[in-house]
PDB file of all heavy atoms in Angstrom:
ATOM      1  N   ILE A  42     -33.065  -4.152  -4.626  1.00 61.00           N
ATOM      2  CA  ILE A  42     -33.186  -5.477  -4.027  1.00 61.00           C
ATOM      3  C   ILE A  42     -33.188  -5.375  -2.506  1.00 61.00           C
ATOM      4  O   ILE A  42     -33.891  -6.107  -1.823  1.00 61.00           O
ATOM      5  CB  ILE A  42     -32.043  -6.390  -4.517  1.00 61.00           C
ATOM      6  CG1 ILE A  42     -32.176  -6.593  -6.031  1.00 61.00           C
ATOM      7  CG2 ILE A  42     -32.068  -7.731  -3.788  1.00 61.00           C
ATOM      8  CD1 ILE A  42     -31.053  -7.391  -6.631  1.00 61.00           C
ATOM      9  N   VAL A  43     -32.385  -4.449  -1.995  1.00 57.00           N
ATOM     10  CA  VAL A  43     -32.356  -4.228  -0.557  1.00 57.00           C
ATOM     11  C   VAL A  43     -32.451  -2.731  -0.286  1.00 57.00           C
ATOM     12  O   VAL A  43     -32.169  -1.908  -1.147  1.00 57.00           O
ATOM     13  CB  VAL A  43     -31.053  -4.789   0.088  1.00 57.00           C
ATOM     14  CG1 VAL A  43     -30.944  -6.274  -0.107  1.00 57.00           C
ATOM     15  CG2 VAL A  43     -29.829  -4.057  -0.447  1.00 57.00           C
ATOM     16  N   GLU A  44     -32.831  -2.392   0.915  1.00 60.00           N
ATOM     17  CA  GLU A  44     -32.863  -1.002   1.364  1.00 60.00           C
ATOM     18  C   GLU A  44     -31.791  -0.818   2.420  1.00 60.00           C
ATOM     19  O   GLU A  44     -31.750  -1.538   3.406  1.00 60.00           O
ATOM     20  CB  GLU A  44     -34.230  -0.658   1.955  1.00 60.00           C
ATOM     21  CG  GLU A  44     -34.321   0.774   2.455  1.00 60.00           C
ATOM     22  CD  GLU A  44     -35.656   1.065   3.122  1.00 60.00           C
ATOM     23  OE1 GLU A  44     -36.526   0.174   3.089  1.00 60.00           O
ATOM     24  OE2 GLU A  44     -35.810   2.164   3.671  1.00 60.00           O
ATOM     25  N   ARG A  45     -30.895   0.127   2.170  1.00 62.00           N
ATOM     26  CA  ARG A  45     -29.803   0.368   3.107  1.00 62.00           C
ATOM     27  C   ARG A  45     -30.345   0.989   4.384  1.00 62.00           C
ATOM     28  O   ARG A  45     -30.965   2.031   4.362  1.00 62.00           O
ATOM     29  CB  ARG A  45     -28.753   1.279   2.480  1.00 62.00           C
ATOM     30  CG  ARG A  45     -27.705   1.829   3.421  1.00 62.00           C
ATOM     31  CD  ARG A  45     -26.835   0.724   3.993  1.00 62.00           C
ATOM     32  NE  ARG A  45     -25.973   0.133   2.998  1.00 62.00           N
ATOM     33  CZ  ARG A  45     -25.219  -0.935   3.201  1.00 62.00           C
ATOM     34  NH1 ARG A  45     -25.261  -1.538   4.377  1.00 62.00           N
ATOM     35  NH2 ARG A  45     -24.446  -1.400   2.255  1.00 62.00           N
ATOM     36  N   LYS A  46     -30.105   0.308   5.512  1.00 64.00           N
ATOM     37  CA  LYS A  46     -30.567   0.814   6.801  1.00 64.00           C
ATOM     38  C   LYS A  46     -29.422   1.234   7.709  1.00 64.00           C
ATOM     39  O   LYS A  46     -29.602   2.043   8.608  1.00 64.00           O
ATOM     40  CB  LYS A  46     -31.424  -0.237   7.504  1.00 64.00           C
ATOM     41  CG  LYS A  46     -32.725  -0.562   6.769  1.00 64.00           C
ATOM     42  CD  LYS A  46     -33.534  -1.589   7.534  1.00 64.00           C
ATOM     43  CE  LYS A  46     -34.809  -1.948   6.792  1.00 64.00           C
ATOM     44  NZ  LYS A  46     -35.714  -0.801   6.633  1.00 64.00           N
ATOM     45  N   ASN A  47     -28.227   0.653   7.499  1.00 69.00           N
ATOM     46  CA  ASN A  47     -27.076   1.024   8.312  1.00 69.00           C
ATOM     47  C   ASN A  47     -25.801   0.669   7.561  1.00 69.00           C
ATOM     48  O   ASN A  47     -25.853   0.174   6.430  1.00 69.00           O
ATOM     49  CB  ASN A  47     -27.115   0.316   9.671  1.00 69.00           C
ATOM     50  CG  ASN A  47     -27.198  -1.190   9.538  1.00 69.00           C
ATOM     51  OD1 ASN A  47     -26.367  -1.810   8.889  1.00 69.00           O
ATOM     52  ND2 ASN A  47     -28.226  -1.782  10.142  1.00 69.00           N
ATOM     53  N   GLU A  48     -24.678   0.929   8.180  1.00 79.00           N
ATOM     54  CA  GLU A  48     -23.380   0.675   7.557  1.00 79.00           C
ATOM     55  C   GLU A  48     -22.648  -0.459   8.259  1.00 79.00           C
ATOM     56  O   GLU A  48     -21.423  -0.482   8.325  1.00 79.00           O
ATOM     57  CB  GLU A  48     -22.519   1.946   7.596  1.00 79.00           C
ATOM     58  CG  GLU A  48     -23.026   3.061   6.701  1.00 79.00           C
ATOM     59  CD  GLU A  48     -23.014   2.675   5.235  1.00 79.00           C
ATOM     60  OE1 GLU A  48     -22.050   2.016   4.800  1.00 79.00           O
ATOM     61  OE2 GLU A  48     -23.978   3.024   4.525  1.00 79.00           O
ATOM     62  N   ALA A  49     -23.413  -1.441   8.773  1.00 85.00           N
ATOM     63  CA  ALA A  49     -22.803  -2.536   9.527  1.00 85.00           C
ATOM     64  C   ALA A  49     -22.120  -3.548   8.625  1.00 85.00           C
ATOM     65  O   ALA A  49     -21.199  -4.249   9.065  1.00 85.00           O
ATOM     66  CB  ALA A  49     -23.849  -3.240  10.389  1.00 85.00           C
ATOM     67  N   PHE A  50     -22.545  -3.650   7.374  1.00 85.00           N
ATOM     68  CA  PHE A  50     -21.985  -4.674   6.498  1.00 85.00           C
ATOM     69  C   PHE A  50     -21.874  -4.117   5.087  1.00 85.00           C
ATOM     70  O   PHE A  50     -22.876  -3.797   4.451  1.00 85.00           O
ATOM     71  CB  PHE A  50     -22.873  -5.918   6.525  1.00 85.00           C
ATOM     72  CG  PHE A  50     -22.257  -7.117   5.867  1.00 85.00           C
ATOM     73  CD1 PHE A  50     -20.999  -7.567   6.233  1.00 85.00           C
ATOM     74  CD2 PHE A  50     -22.948  -7.807   4.884  1.00 85.00           C
ATOM     75  CE1 PHE A  50     -20.442  -8.676   5.638  1.00 85.00           C
ATOM     76  CE2 PHE A  50     -22.396  -8.927   4.285  1.00 85.00           C
ATOM     77  CZ  PHE A  50     -21.139  -9.368   4.663  1.00 85.00           C
ATOM     78  N   ASN A  51     -20.649  -3.975   4.586  1.00 88.00           N
ATOM     79  CA  ASN A  51     -20.395  -3.488   3.240  1.00 88.00           C
ATOM     80  C   ASN A  51     -19.423  -4.432   2.555  1.00 88.00           C
ATOM     81  O   ASN A  51     -18.443  -4.877   3.165  1.00 88.00           O
ATOM     82  CB  ASN A  51     -19.793  -2.080   3.260  1.00 88.00           C
ATOM     83  CG  ASN A  51     -20.725  -1.059   3.889  1.00 88.00           C
ATOM     84  OD1 ASN A  51     -21.596  -0.509   3.228  1.00 88.00           O
ATOM     85  ND2 ASN A  51     -20.551  -0.815   5.182  1.00 88.00           N
TER      86      ASN A  51
END
Side-chain angles (χ1 to χ4, degrees):
I42 296 176
V43 298
E44 179 184 354
R45 169 65 69 187
K46 295 181 182 297
N47 56 55
E48 291 297 320
F50 191 53
N51 298 275

